[in-house]
Amino acid sequence: MPELPEVETVRRGLLKIAKGRKINAIDVYYGKTITNDVEDFRQALIGQTIEDIDRRGKYLLFRFSNNLTMVSHLRMEGKYYNQPIGGPIDKHTHVVFQFTDGTELCYHDTRKFGRMTLVETGDEKTVGGLKTLGPEPTAADFKLAFFQDELGRSRGKIKPFLLNQRHVAGLGNIYVDEVLWMSKINPEQPANSLTPDQAAVLHDNIIKELAVATKYKGTTVHSFTNAFGDAGGFQERLNAYGRGGEKCPRCGAKMVKIKVAQRGTTFCPHCQPLVED
DNA sequence: CGAATTGTTGAGCG
DNA sequence: TCGCTCAACAATTC
């Protein structure tokens, strides 16, 4: 469930518990988490120091002293936590990095969907979705003209369009429902049918919503916690996601939950009407 | 006990 | 070649 605000929150936590630490040993309990050869991965990183941790979209980039970068994607339920070496792990702890200072960083993932890939720094673009990842959802990177151009070339529904990381990085199911609600746009509206005003409002809301959610340290739904095990604070500010059957916070009409592109989708039929041609 | 849940890739189709 | 749809992945909760 981690979308951009949650991944950024994790990154900030990792800076405090992992940056500057030197790896003394690595235990791998579930090999598929690592897409490289596991032995190559271990040999390349043992003895190296985590110099910095960056983020691109929902991808974490661990920068190592030997010009290597570990790309880590949490997918559904991946999470990192630290503890003294030898602390408790369970059957969902798949990788443990032991540091020379007596602490260890554990990667835990109940669904086993998350992946780590080690590449030469600068070659990150060869990793999975980073090849085609769209701009960061910031005013500096995410240009309205680009967004309008992409919208115009897509006949698909706006919700799957926004979930596609090629168009803009960082949105997932929760924040797509939120920004569409804020923008009063129906999730099934064809992307190329949005008016210029709607496109501009949507563009601004994507930037604002993700920035505000990041400020609140993300949304805790089901299981998300940051690197310290704390809950995020944004879930109390959600207006659409998880509110199927409830009253719309804006107009009081009953919110509806449907499936769009195989995903649970909540919206207000009154505020977000489908506009036919 | 089947359905729902989530992000991303890749196959298949037109 | 491109864009869209859908299956697959995995495990837990309801």
Side-chain angles (χ1 to χ4, degrees):
Chain A
M1 218 147 299
E3 303 175 33
L4 189 146
E6 293 77 37
V7 177
E8 176 61 17
T9 301
V10 169
R11 187 186 75 85
R12 293 175 186 179
L14 284 169
L15 287 178
K16 297 180 183 171
I17 63 174
K19 182 176 176 178
R21 310 286 165 98
K22 183 175 176 184
I23 295 175
N24 193 43
I26 302 174
D27 291 325
V28 179
Y29 299 98
Y30 181 70
K32 281 176 72 176
T33 297
I34 294 161
T35 61
N36 310 74
D37 177 271
V38 172
E39 220 26 57
D40 289 349
F41 177 91
R42 292 179 69 250
Q43 293 312 314
L45 292 185
I46 290 171
Q48 301 303 319
T49 297
I50 300 175
E51 305 262 271
D52 208 350
I53 300 157
D54 296 326
R55 180 191 56 73
R56 177 79 174 88
K58 303 175 194 173
Y59 296 79
L60 290 165
L61 306 169
F62 290 73
R63 308 296 193 183
F64 286 94
S65 40
N66 55 349
N67 202 38
L68 291 178
T69 290
M70 185 181 84
V71 180
S72 170
H73 196 298
L74 306 173
R75 292 287 190 106
M76 310 287 305
E77 301 196 45
K79 45 187 71 73
Y80 286 100
Y81 62 94
N82 74 320
Q83 62 183 5
I85 287 177
I89 61 171
D90 65 22
K91 64 174 180 175
H92 301 302
T93 302
H94 305 312
V95 184
V96 177
F97 301 90
Q98 293 180 11
F99 297 129
T100 55
D101 70 349
T103 66
E104 64 187 12
L105 180 70
C106 302
Y107 177 72
H108 185 279
D109 186 351
T110 54
R111 301 272 177 99
K112 297 182 174 174
F113 269 21
R115 292 292 180 264
M116 299 174 188
T117 302
L118 194 61
V119 296
E120 295 269 341
T121 297
D123 288 350
E124 297 89 342
K125 282 192 167 55
T126 62
V127 177
L130 284 173
K131 274 178 222 160
T132 53
L133 193 59
E136 289 291 308
T138 58
D141 280 357
F142 184 37
K143 299 299 184 188
L144 179 58
F146 165 82
F147 186 52
Q148 286 178 323
D149 191 50
E150 295 277 289
L151 283 168
R153 294 196 292 110
S154 174
R155 274 170 292 175
K157 297 171 179 177
I158 187 65
K159 172 151 183 176
F161 176 94
L162 294 176
L163 287 172
N164 187 336
Q165 305 293 300
R166 289 167 180 250
H167 301 131
V168 59
L171 292 168
N173 206 35
I174 296 174
Y175 294 113
V176 166
D177 279 6
E178 292 302 307
V179 297
L180 289 174
W181 180 88
M182 286 175 72
S183 309
K184 301 184 183 179
I185 295 171
N186 188 282
E188 299 195 280
Q189 194 72 41
N192 64 4
S193 76
L194 265 61
T195 66
D197 281 354
Q198 283 181 313
V201 167
L202 179 57
H203 170 265
D204 290 355
N205 281 334
I206 289 169
I207 294 171
K208 276 185 215 154
E209 177 79 352
L210 292 176
V212 172
T214 301
K215 197 177 106 188
Y216 281 88
K217 304 188 195 310
T219 300
T220 296
V221 188
H222 301 149
S223 66
F224 171 74
T225 56
N226 65 21
F228 305 106
D230 297 333
F234 196 69
Q235 59 278 1
E236 291 157 26
R237 305 180 76 86
L238 296 176
N239 290 300
Y241 182 87
R243 289 182 177 269
E246 296 179 26
K247 286 184 177 176
C248 170
R250 183 167 45 209
C251 77
K254 192 172 180 180
M255 306 277 285
V256 168
K257 183 170 182 181
I258 62 171
K259 283 255 184 197
V260 178
Q262 332 287 111
R263 298 296 181 234
T265 300
T266 306
F267 70 105
C268 172
H270 180 254
C271 290
Q272 300 167 262
L274 184 60
V275 181
E276 306 284 352
D277 286 331

